[in-house]
Amino acid sequence: MAEILLEHVGKTYPGGTQAVSDVSLSVADGEFIVLVGPSGCGKSTLLRMVAGLEDISAGTVTIGGRVVNRLEPAERDIAMVFQNYALYPHMTVRENMSWGLKNRRIPKDEIAARVEEAARMLELHPYLDRKPRALSGGQRQRVAMGRAIVRQPAAFLFDEPLSNLDAKLRVTMRGEILKLQKRLGTTALYVTHDQLEAMTLADRLVVLNGGQIEQVGRPLEVYHRPASTFVAAFIGAPAMNLLDARIEAGHLRLAGVDLGRVEGEARAVTLGIRAEDLQLLQSGGLPFRIDVIEELGAGRVVHGFVEDQPLCVSLPSGAELPAQLHLGVAPEALHLFDAITGKRLPQSVHRSAKVRA
Amino acid sequence: MQRFRPFDHLILLLGAAFLVTPVVMAFMSSTHAATEIHMNGLFLSPGGEGMATYEKVLTQKGGFTGTVTGARMVMNSTILGLGFALGKVVVSMLAAYGLVYFRFRFATPIFWMIFTTLLLPLEVRIMPSYQVMSQLHALNTYWGLIIPLLASATGTFYFRQFFKSVPDELLEAARIDGAGPVRFFLGVLVPLSRPMMAAIFIIMFVYGWNQYLWPMLMTTDERFFTLMRGIKTILQVWIGSQIPDYNEAFALAVLAMLPPLGVVLAFQRLFIKGLTESDK
Amino acid sequence: MTASPVVPSPFLRLRQWWTRPSAHPAKVAQFDRPLAPWLFVAPQLLIVAIFFYWPSVQAVTSSFYLEDPFGFGAAFVGLDNYREALSSTEYRNIAGFTALFAATVTALSLGLGLLLAVKADAVMRGAGAYKTALISVYAIAPPVVGLIGMMMFDMHIGPFTKAAALFGWEMRVGIDYRDTAVALITVAVWKQIPYNFIFFLSGLQAVPSSVREAALIDARSGWRRFRDVTLPLLAPTGFFLLVINITYALFDTFGIIDVMVKDKPANNPITLVYKVYLDGFKGNDIGGSSAQSVILMVVVAALTVAQFRLIERRVHYG
Ligand SMILES: Nc1ncnc2c1ncn2[C@@H]1O[C@H](COP(=O)(O)OP(=O)(O)OP(=O)(O)O)[C@@H](O)[C@H]1O
Ligand SMILES: [Mg+2]
């Protein structure tokens, strides 16, 4: 059990690639942190620096009060679960779990007890004497978890541990990982590019972009107040609509429609609207031309255009829709971003006098 | 889909006959008396003299000094084959491990130094190699017979290719599990490489057993003669004799080809796998 | 990162240079130890240095000297040994035969190996038995092959000689130059077919069945399928084998030749390697033999470099 502290951590690969730059993060004891971001944004690199598998080019990493920059992975008191599990193919499940403990000269009966306990938690008993080859993907995943648990480490590190599983199993294992982590109270650093996984697992989310932290926060906080268009587009499905709009004479205008009062001088802004925040109106509002309808069963996602800007709307399933819709949105649900930098603007939108709900 | 194809079978039968008949003939003829062979030519059926011939070849002291028996030659060939195979697996596996799994300054030049040896077979530098060995007083020793043959990177090359195909995460997991270089090598890599080691061992055993030129030069003392060297001797005695000992020559040939043949047939799959996968 | 001193000490610089990783590490994950890698590569390095580099350098050096046959010193003669070798009619004749021998052996053993592999791949019944029969000869040593070959072509008892006699061809292997050449080539091909067979067969079996099925739909003629689909896919294997077979014909046939010409090389065809051996060990012409060695080294090195490039290509594209 320990807190992890990253201070101005950076990584430059020998070829010159700047994979991570100036990342600072403080992880509390027992906290579940998810690092999320698109492919190549440096998630794995950051995690591997914490693990000691990559040299740290800049900054310091502290685990449980110890600066670990110069320590071997085995000395950092961490355990890691890999995407391809990295089980030792020639060892049985039991041996896979106990090898690391043997290497640290832990007494035999203690090892047996820990393996026993982990096997019970993960329901691995029937497989203890099998080789990984003879296990299904989900079982292998559990063995990899078991190998991490028996170490009783200060922190768990996960690098996309579920991405080799099928969709259904992924949901199940997600639940199991969360339950285990809460029960053991071990600090966890979890890398994924799946935003749904990130939302459901995290105590706090860290959104990375191009090697830098874009936003840190609780999942709902990030969802409701994305710090930039990048985060807005990345978190949530379907992705938040981002539209070119203007502030004119104290009003926010899109496609000639007044969406509410807003402070500030006339300028172009990027307007973010979540698909589920849009509602159907009888008349008025935003004129919307339907292009494609995705029926999801419980609801439908309607893709179309406002003038010539693409927009998608989540609507309940129901009757046939006409080709043209009228959409309304509450001003509180509007997100404003700088049209150039993409950063969130401080202003919020208020109801104009003449707009009726 | 698949029909019976008589023409294909005909070609295969002809091919197999062309390849196998001489071997069968050698074996069958070795069980006939020399005079019989001299009169009737080679045989495709067994004769009655087999036991006597093989016993004679194995136990009779021959050569110019009369100190070497067939059994002794079998032993020497075995020592050469096994010693070479073992040395090859150990030396080349260690070197490949050093080259693949360590970050160090001279990895590239050392890689080239070792792999340049693939360029030149022993035969082209046989004369100076002999001179070096005689300067080292290594003529007529087992180590002199075996170790210079190890100076080629074939095994290292095979193991390097194999190690490169081992997932990186295995080393990372092992490092987190507290394994240093030696423990990772013995605890993970060696067990993983077992099929590869076996395949290379077999290939190298055959290669070592079959060596001809090098033992011929390195051994003048007949106590170190291998079977291949014995074949040369028996042919030298042959010249000028009225009825050559065909049967004994064949018996010696059979002794010389039996172990490699047996090994290859017994481990056919492993052998083919080792041979064809390592060239990639 | 630890702060480095403003002016790095020479020692630190040396250490950095010493431990700097190479630009293209074999693996992403590697150990970072100063001493351990040296311990692991040391045995191989030592053996290579003593038994490869030392003799190779010696071969090059002595190729520039004329050694007194009685061992009283050596005189530097520059390129004389090379000049002598390359201008001698005997050497040229042997080189000519070597080229012919290598070309014929390579072509025949590749062709027959491919034919048998294609057929063995096509049949279902008995495929395993054919395979075993065709592979078995692989493991037989060249001198044993030579001995068996010699018997097959023996003037009194050889079945091949008897068969040739039926066609009115009186073979005198070991005495007649051309007859010996025919026998040598036959025996050398016999020994090499299994090797090519093994590689072609595993090359064929690596062709995905979906590709075969697609070809089956696209082309009715079996020959056309073979020529347009199978053969191109086998090309990398073929190139690889080409070099291996040439090397085999040049060097590994030494045992066959030595046994079959029975120490009577005078009227018999021999290859360049055999000549190196004869001049060096029988003729005591160390300088001349070394010069020939060096010439051969250059030829083989060129061949092997070509092979490496092909393998490299294979890794990238296939
Ligand atoms: N060993 C390396 N040498 C050089 N560059 C590297 C190395 N490993 C990764 N990179 C680069 O560093 C950047 C970050 O890589 P990283 O593996 O951390 O991405 P990631 O966020 O984990 O992506 P993914 O979701 O695809 O796994 C990438 O641009 C990658 O190309
Ligand atoms: Mg990654």
Side-chain angles (χ1 to χ4, degrees), chain A residues 43-45 83 159-160 191:
Chain A
K43 308 179 294 288
S44 298
T45 305
Q83 176 175 353
D159 193 351
E160 311 207 13
V191 161

Side-chain angles (χ1 to χ4, degrees), chain C residues 93-112:
Chain C
N93 285 342
I94 293 174
F97 173 73
T98 308
L100 176 79
F101 179 76
T104 322
V105 168
T106 302
L108 284 177
S109 56
L110 273 181
L112 290 173

